[in-house]
Structure formats: structure tokens, C-alpha cells
Amino acid sequence: MNQQKQIDAYIREVCSHIKRTDVHESIALELKGHLEEKIEQYQSEGMSEEQAVDQAIADMGSPVTLGKQLHYAHKPRMEWSILAILAGLISCGLLVMHGLGTAQSGNALLTSKLWGILAGTAAFTVMLFADYRKGKRYSTHLYAGTVLLMLATHALGTTMNGKPYLDLGFLTLDLLGIASIPLVIALAGMFADWDWKRQRTIWIAFAAFALPFLLLAGGSAPFSAVLFFAAFVLLVVLSPAQKRVALATVGLTVVFTIAFVALTIKPYQIERLHLGTPADPSGSGYTISQSLQVMHSASLFGSGSDATLPAIPALESDFVFTYVVHQYGLAAGTAILCLGIVLLLRLVRAARQVRRDTYGFMLMTGLMTLFFLPYFWSILMTVGLVPLISVNLPLISHGNAQVILYMGLFGLMLTIYRHKDVPTCQPQPK
């Protein structure tokens, strides 16, 4: 018993020099395991228990020195390059809203953007210092709650412009527009724990995709459906599932999606699938035709505030990239594209460093999909390289809700990175 107290006292002394308290338990277990192995080894060599304990502790070294070394090893790390690029994109959004506001509505757009950034900074800070691992146990609840709210939106919601909104009395919420975020967060936790060796898991996973997809696609939220489809496929591929199981799940999902689109697509939607120069620039292809005209006539450093800009709808949201190229030039448009590419590469690098944490890795890559698919789609759409669809350029387009959500997502991704040096114990599959 005295020897056990001696071991416990040594471990407590080591942990007292590690400021990050959330790693104390895992480090204590690891140290105890090492000490027990050494004690057993020395006892097998003929030492008494007391001698073996003393020698094992001596081998581990000074508790002060070891504690300081472990403190440094587990010290939270910040990926400053990601934070710098994020700040750059937010600054671009402010500049664009200032330019648009000057031309259209004074300082209203800029003021609104500033309030959104302020709220977004609060969301970023909260998520940055949250322990994302505690939310994993509620993944199934989050999924079920989101689906129930989507069903309520369809059944009881207020319809505006053909799209159902969740009416909360004091707030009308575009739930279908943001539903892919909680769904992806929930599926990352669910997939990380599932037993993918069971045949029925394929059908359970497919069912987890099919119902939300139908609610999104059938609720006039096409891009949300695209976003959910892409994130779902990525999460299945990155899950602990064997390759054949992942392939079967993805194949079933793709076939279902293609069949649904083929049966429900409307003629005007087929016209939007046309890439490049539209066949009818004065009709259904007017918007993309005008956007392409701006791109082709843009100078390297912008046309200036006095230059005439064609009448393009949703210039502050869907086609904000067109305005950037017109107002600030091809150089500015290229800079925004390159910032997105560099940010993607930095986040991919960060995600690789958390790969040993299955849940954290899946969650981080799923969140990356939620940001980068609309980011690059919005840019490529303005030059006719992807189908025309209503999608904002994250952090740059007008809209406080999307600024707050995306900044919160970045806070969550960075807190996953900050936890990369925390020992994790993978749970047994359910």
C-alpha cells in the first residue's frame, strides 16, 4: 500500500506541472502503466517490491522535469496561418460591402457586416475553447433533433418564395439552408462509433442519408442537398468502414441520388446545368451571360467605381465574386481564389495531424466540406464552370447568419487542432 501511495504521489507531482488539466487523467494512466511494467520487470529480476518501485521511479526521472516536458508536449497549439487567412477573407468581405454600400445603400451593408463579424468573433471564441469531444455522445440526439425540425419545417413552416421556413414566432429561420451543418457534425460522431462490420450498417447509413436528403431537395434547398451529399460521401470514405463496405454505401447513395434527380428535375433546372456561355443569353441564361461579360471585360486592377456594371441580381450574395472582379480587378479575384486554395491546403495539413483521433479527423474534414464547397462553387459559378445555383461566397457575401456560422465552424476546426496532442482512447464499436 505504501508503494502504491508513493507511485500516486509521483504521478500527482508530475501532473501538477502540466497546466492543461484535461490531459491529466490520460497522462496519469500512461505513467502508471509504464511504472507497473518497470516494477514487474525489476521484481522478476529479484528486487523487492520497495526496491522495484524506487528504481522504476528513478528511471522515470525528476517529476518536475518530466512534468514540464509533458506540459510542453501537450500545450495547445494554434495554427496561426489559418487564423491569418481567415482574417484576410473577413477583411475582403468588409471591403466589398463598403464598395457595394457606397454604390447602392450608403453604409448599411458595411454596418451589417461589422455586426455579423462581431457576433461571429464571439461564436469563434466560444467554439475555440470548447471541448468538442464532449459533444460526441449526443451525436444521435443531434441528428434526430435536426431531422425532426426539418419535418416540422415542411409540415408547419412558413413558405416564402416556394421554400419552407421554420417559424419560431420571434424569428423565421431558414432551417433547411443550415441543416447540413448539424447533420454533418452528428454523422461524424455516429460514424466514428458504428460497427461497420455488420451488413445492416450499410442500410442504416443509407437511411441516415436518404431522409434528410429528400427533405432538403424537396424543400427548395438544392445547394444544401448537394452540400449534404458531398459531406456524407466524404464521411463514409473516411469512416472506420472497410473499403468494400464504404464503396457499397457510397454506391447505394450515388444511385439513389441520380435516380431522384432524374425523376424530379424540371426543364428550367436542366437549362441551368448548361456550362460556359448560355444558349439563351437574353432569357434563362441572362445572369450568367452578364457575369461572363464582366469577367471578359475586367482589367487587372479593376474598372473603378464610375464604371458601369451590368444589372446582375444578387450581386451582394450569389454573384459577389463578379462584383469583386469588376470593382477591384482580376488581381483581386485571383487573390480571393488563391486565399481559398492556400486555406484549404493548410487545413488539410492540420487535419492530417489529428488523424489518430477518428472522431476529430472526420469532424474536421466534414466541416471543411461545408466551407470549401460553397467557396469554390460560388467562384466557379460566376465564370460558367459549374451549374448556376443560389450559393453565397463564405465570409465575403452579405449575410450575418452565414458569417456567424462559418466563423463558429472555424473555431470548432481549430479547437480540434488544439487537441491534437491530447491522448485519446478510441471507444469500442457499438
Side-chain angles (χ1 to χ4, degrees):
M1 181 62 69
N2 290 335
Q3 281 70 39
Q4 185 60 51
K5 288 182 179 180
Q6 186 179 356
I7 293 171
D8 292 341
Y10 178 83
I11 293 174
R12 282 197 301 271
E13 177 66 16
V14 171
C15 289
S16 69
H17 296 281
I18 304 172
K19 294 182 179 179
R20 190 168 184 175
T21 57
D22 60 344
V23 302
H24 284 188
E25 182 179 358
S26 56
I27 288 176
L29 289 172
E30 187 176 354
L31 289 176
K32 187 175 182 180
H34 287 314
L35 285 168
E36 288 175 349
E37 288 178 5
K38 286 181 175 292
I39 292 169
E40 184 178 347
Q41 175 187 341
Y42 288 133
Q43 284 184 312
S44 68
E45 294 174 358
M47 288 187 181
S48 67
E49 182 180 1
E50 183 178 355
Q51 290 174 325
V53 170
D54 290 340
Q55 186 60 51
I57 290 176
D59 289 347
M60 295 295 288
S62 165
V64 177
T65 302
L66 180 58
K68 290 181 178 179
Q69 290 173 345
L70 289 172
H71 166 71
Y72 179 78
H74 296 290
K75 185 178 180 180
R77 303 292 197 274
M78 174 60 77
E79 235 295 3
W80 293 106
S81 62
I82 293 175
L83 198 59
I85 298 171
L86 181 63
L89 290 174
I90 293 171
S91 299
C92 289
L94 284 172
L95 180 62
V96 171
M97 290 304 109
H98 171 70
L100 275 167
T102 301
Q104 297 179 3
S105 56
N107 292 322
L109 290 176
L110 178 60
T111 302
S112 176
K113 190 76 169 183
L114 286 169
W115 280 112
I117 292 172
L118 183 62
T121 301
F124 174 87
T125 304
V126 169
M127 299 308 298
L128 182 64
F129 293 102
D131 187 351
Y132 71 97
R133 298 167 300 178
K134 293 181 179 179
K136 182 183 179 183
R137 71 188 71 173
Y138 303 108
S139 296
T140 303
H141 302 82
L142 177 61
Y143 175 86
T146 303
V147 171
L148 287 174
L149 286 175
M150 293 169 69
L151 288 169
T153 300
H154 275 271
L156 307 172
T158 300
T159 301
M160 293 186 290
N161 298 321
K163 182 178 181 179
Y165 287 75
L166 182 62
D167 190 354
L168 302 176
F170 63 92
L171 175 67
T172 301
L173 180 64
D174 181 13
L175 180 73
L176 299 183
I178 64 173
S180 55
I181 296 175
L183 287 172
V184 168
I185 293 173
L187 288 176
M190 292 162 61
F191 286 2
D193 278 354
W194 279 1
D195 181 3
W196 289 90
K197 294 180 181 179
R198 296 184 300 179
Q199 188 70 27
R200 66 175 184 173
T201 303
I202 296 175
W203 294 102
I204 295 173
F206 170 70
F209 165 79
L211 180 56
F213 179 81
L214 291 174
L215 292 173
L216 291 171
S220 299
F223 191 76
S224 293
V226 171
L227 200 56
F228 179 60
F229 168 81
F232 178 87
V233 169
L234 181 62
L235 288 176
V236 170
V237 171
L238 297 178
S239 72
Q242 296 178 341
K243 288 185 179 180
R244 62 177 182 81
V245 175
L247 184 61
T249 306
V250 171
L252 188 61
T253 302
V254 171
V255 170
F256 171 82
T257 303
I258 292 174
F260 174 83
V261 172
L263 292 172
T264 60
I265 194 168
K266 297 177 175 59
Y268 76 89
Q269 293 173 324
I270 296 177
E271 291 179 6
R272 289 188 175 186
L273 296 177
H274 181 88
L275 303 181
T277 304
D280 182 15
S282 61
S284 61
Y286 172 80
T287 303
I288 191 63
S289 176
Q290 295 297 91
S291 178
L292 288 170
Q293 178 183 327
V294 170
M295 297 295 174
H296 292 155
S297 61
S299 63
L300 184 60
F301 297 106
S303 304
S305 58
D306 295 331
T308 302
L309 180 65
I312 300 176
L315 199 60
E316 73 285 355
S317 52
D318 297 351
F319 283 88
V320 73
F321 188 75
T322 303
Y323 173 79
V324 169
V325 173
H326 165 80
Q327 184 72 12
Y328 305 107
L330 291 170
T334 302
I336 289 178
L337 176 61
C338 290
L339 279 175
I341 294 173
V342 173
L343 181 59
L344 174 61
L345 294 176
R346 297 303 298 176
L347 279 168
V348 168
R349 176 180 176 275
R352 287 176 177 172
Q353 296 183 48
V354 304
R355 188 148 197 169
R356 66 174 182 169
D357 175 12
T358 302
Y359 172 56
F361 176 67
M362 291 178 64
L363 180 56
M364 191 169 183
T365 50
L367 296 178
M368 287 166 58
T369 306
L370 297 178
F371 178 82
F372 287 106
L373 184 58
Y375 188 93
F376 292 116
W377 192 295
S378 177
I379 293 174
L380 297 176
M381 178 181 70
T382 61
V383 293
L385 294 180
V386 294
L388 178 63
I389 196 169
S390 180
V391 52
N392 287 356
L393 181 57
L395 301 179
I396 296 178
S397 292
H398 174 63
N400 286 343
Q402 59 98 2
V403 171
I404 296 169
L405 286 172
Y406 285 125
M407 290 184 71
L409 292 187
F410 270 95
L412 185 52
M413 285 189 280
L414 287 176
T415 199
I416 295 171
Y417 179 81
R418 281 164 54 85
H419 281 80
K420 68 184 180 69
D421 295 317
V422 177
T424 57
C425 298
Q426 297 297 339
Q428 294 298 318
K430 296 178 180 178

